[in-house]
Amino acid sequence: MTSAASASPSATPWRLVLLLGALTAFAPMSIDMYLSSFPAIGQTLKAGPEQVQLTLATFFAGMAIGQFLYGPASDRLGRRAPILLGVVIYTVASVTCALAPNIEVLLGARFVQALGGCAGAVVARAVVRDRFDHAETARVLSLMTLIMGLAPVLAPQLGGLIFALAGWRAVFGVMALFGLAIGLWVLLGLKESRSEETAAQARAENPLRAFALLLREKRLLGYGIAGALNGSVLFTYISTSPDLVMGTYGHSPLVFNIVFAANAVGIIGASQVNRLLLRRFKPDEVLTRASLASTTLALVLSFFAWTGLGGEWTVLPVLFLALSTYGLMSGNTMAGALSVDPRRAGSISALMGGTSFGAGAVAAWAGGLLHDGTPRPVAIVMFACLVGSSLAIFLLAVPKKAAA
């Protein structure tokens, strides 16, 4: 990796980073807080495990679809208004989830909840690109990962505690309160950052035309495919880890929460290593090396999963390392994509986020389809996704001179 540091980074705007990190936490909070409540939800609503599991898939679908709406809207209307609208939708849907009389209502409410919650993530990334250049964007996104990453660590524990004290409906009530708190913070603390150039560009073209033009960009396609497949690894893990840890390996919910939190800490730690590496190296340099490491680790994971050598004592540690590479790659793929056309930052953020959740939903479905009571399905899906991600990085996203 050649030394190619950019200019010395400026002072970190911590207030802004904290707010933007909180906006990106809607998804992990909404996913991780209720995982341990699955059996109780099924019992209360007289639904089978596969129906309860579908509430996760519908949330992924809502996150994927909604981002294509908020991204162009934030370029055209400004950054604040779409976030506030999304927060209102999220809060109302969370209350509906808490009051759901049957599984059908819960499924619909989860979809709408995702449509609202995705506004924070897609617009927050656009705000970062409004204010920072390519290298600084990668650093700030790594800091946001640190904040967002606290959600997978804390949310399962908080959700388990709330469930134990007040039941699963109260978990969704806390999500509604989270939405209200973030909405108030945005109203009082987030200044408009969209440039006049971005506004003029958005007014001059149809959103569909903007997406069509962006999809012609070879580098953006590379970053987008890599980001989507890299994200799919995380979604596959989220959807399969309860069965892997508690089913295949027979551990208690407490052990599952500890394993889940440990893997989240690994992702957070890697994102901060990425921030330090970016003081010396270009984002694309870090990205190419991290992609090779992730693919190698996925291959090792597949070997242990298929041979059964060492059981959980080899699978879980290698899984931890493979997942940690997400922290090295996610910020750099997003920063690279946003650098392709800063005038369309909202639309690019929508493409990146929407395709990530869409691919994640497919990958999670594939993991469930291949389920055989062993760690093989998660290893297969992760390896396939990371190979595809590496190919996209080297063949489309990163110029050869940067990868050398």
Side-chain angles (χ1 to χ4, degrees), residues 148-241:
M148 181 186 71
L150 292 176
V153 177
L154 300 177
Q157 323 303 325
L158 178 61
L161 178 61
I162 295 169
F163 170 69
L165 295 176
W168 67 266
R169 295 185 186 276
V171 175
F172 288 104
V174 170
M175 292 182 195
L177 292 176
F178 174 76
L180 284 173
I182 297 301
L184 184 61
W185 193 358
V186 169
L187 189 64
L188 299 178
L190 182 65
K191 296 180 180 179
E192 183 57 57
S193 62
R194 181 200 56 171
S195 68
E196 285 301 320
E197 183 181 11
T198 295
Q201 181 70 41
R203 286 194 295 266
E205 65 183 4
N206 183 284
L208 294 179
R209 174 174 168 77
F211 285 130
L213 291 173
L214 289 172
L215 289 174
R216 296 177 186 175
E217 295 284 350
K218 178 181 175 181
R219 289 181 58 228
L220 179 59
L221 279 177
Y223 288 123
I225 294 171
L229 292 176
N230 189 41
S232 295
V233 169
L234 188 61
F235 292 129
T236 300
Y237 161 72
I238 290 172
S239 64
T240 60
S241 59

Side-chain angles (χ1 to χ4, degrees), residues 129-398:
R129 193 60 187 92
D130 289 341
R131 295 174 179 266
F132 304 99
D133 63 19
H134 184 179
E136 282 295 309
T137 293
R139 294 189 184 98
V140 172
L141 288 172
S142 292
L143 284 172
M144 287 167 58
T145 300
L146 170 63
I147 299 164
M148 181 186 71
L150 292 176
V153 177
L154 300 177
Q157 323 303 325
L158 178 61
L161 178 61
I162 295 169
F163 170 69
L165 295 176
W168 67 266
R169 295 185 186 276
V171 175
F172 288 104
V174 170
M175 292 182 195
L177 292 176
F178 174 76
L180 284 173
I182 297 301
L184 184 61
W185 193 358
V186 169
L187 189 64
L188 299 178
L190 182 65
K191 296 180 180 179
E192 183 57 57
S193 62
R194 181 200 56 171
S195 68
E196 285 301 320
E197 183 181 11
T198 295
Q201 181 70 41
R203 286 194 295 266
E205 65 183 4
N206 183 284
L208 294 179
R209 174 174 168 77
F211 285 130
L213 291 173
L214 289 172
L215 289 174
R216 296 177 186 175
E217 295 284 350
K218 178 181 175 181
R219 289 181 58 228
L220 179 59
L221 279 177
Y223 288 123
I225 294 171
L229 292 176
N230 189 41
S232 295
V233 169
L234 188 61
F235 292 129
T236 300
Y237 161 72
I238 290 172
S239 64
T240 60
S241 59
D243 182 72
L244 177 65
V245 176
M246 294 186 287
T248 301
Y249 294 135
H251 290 297
S252 67
L254 175 61
V255 173
F256 165 70
N257 285 340
I258 292 173
V259 172
F260 199 90
N263 285 324
V265 169
I267 294 172
I268 295 170
S271 72
Q272 300 319 294
V273 171
N274 180 60
R275 186 168 62 91
L276 296 176
L277 289 173
L278 289 172
R279 294 179 178 177
R280 295 186 57 197
F281 307 108
K282 294 180 180 179
D284 283 346
E285 291 180 307
V286 179
L287 181 60
T288 54
R289 274 52 175 189
S291 70
L292 292 175
S294 67
T295 304
T296 301
L297 286 166
L299 180 61
V300 174
L301 176 64
S302 297
F303 170 78
F304 287 125
W306 277 90
T307 62
L309 186 64
E312 64 182 290
W313 299 107
T314 53
V315 168
L316 293 181
V318 178
L319 179 62
F320 167 84
L321 294 174
L323 286 169
S324 295
T325 61
Y326 177 83
L328 291 171
M329 297 176 67
S330 61
N332 293 321
T333 53
M334 181 62 69
L338 290 169
S339 72
V340 172
D341 188 350
R343 296 173 304 167
R344 299 184 176 97
S347 295
I348 290 176
S349 180
L351 278 172
M352 292 291 287
T355 54
S356 180
F357 272 93
V362 173
W365 169 81
L369 185 66
L370 297 172
H371 178 268
D372 62 359
T374 75
R376 293 174 187 170
V378 64
I380 294 171
V381 175
M382 286 180 64
F383 180 67
C385 288
L386 289 172
V387 168
S389 175
S390 292
L391 290 174
I393 289 169
F394 282 95
L395 297 180
L396 297 173
V398 180

Side-chain angles (χ1 to χ4, degrees), residues 55-113:
T55 64
L56 194 59
T58 56
F59 188 87
F60 287 161
M63 289 291 294
I65 294 170
Q67 299 198 45
F68 290 104
L69 304 176
Y70 291 108
S74 72
D75 285 341
R76 185 178 292 261
L77 304 175
R79 309 306 188 198
R80 281 167 47 92
I83 295 177
L84 292 171
L85 174 62
V87 166
V88 170
I89 294 173
Y90 176 89
T91 303
V92 173
S94 297
V95 173
T96 305
C97 288
L99 301 175
N102 53 56
I103 192 65
E104 290 77 16
V105 172
L106 182 60
L107 284 168
R110 282 287 285 173
F111 179 79
V112 176
Q113 186 188 39

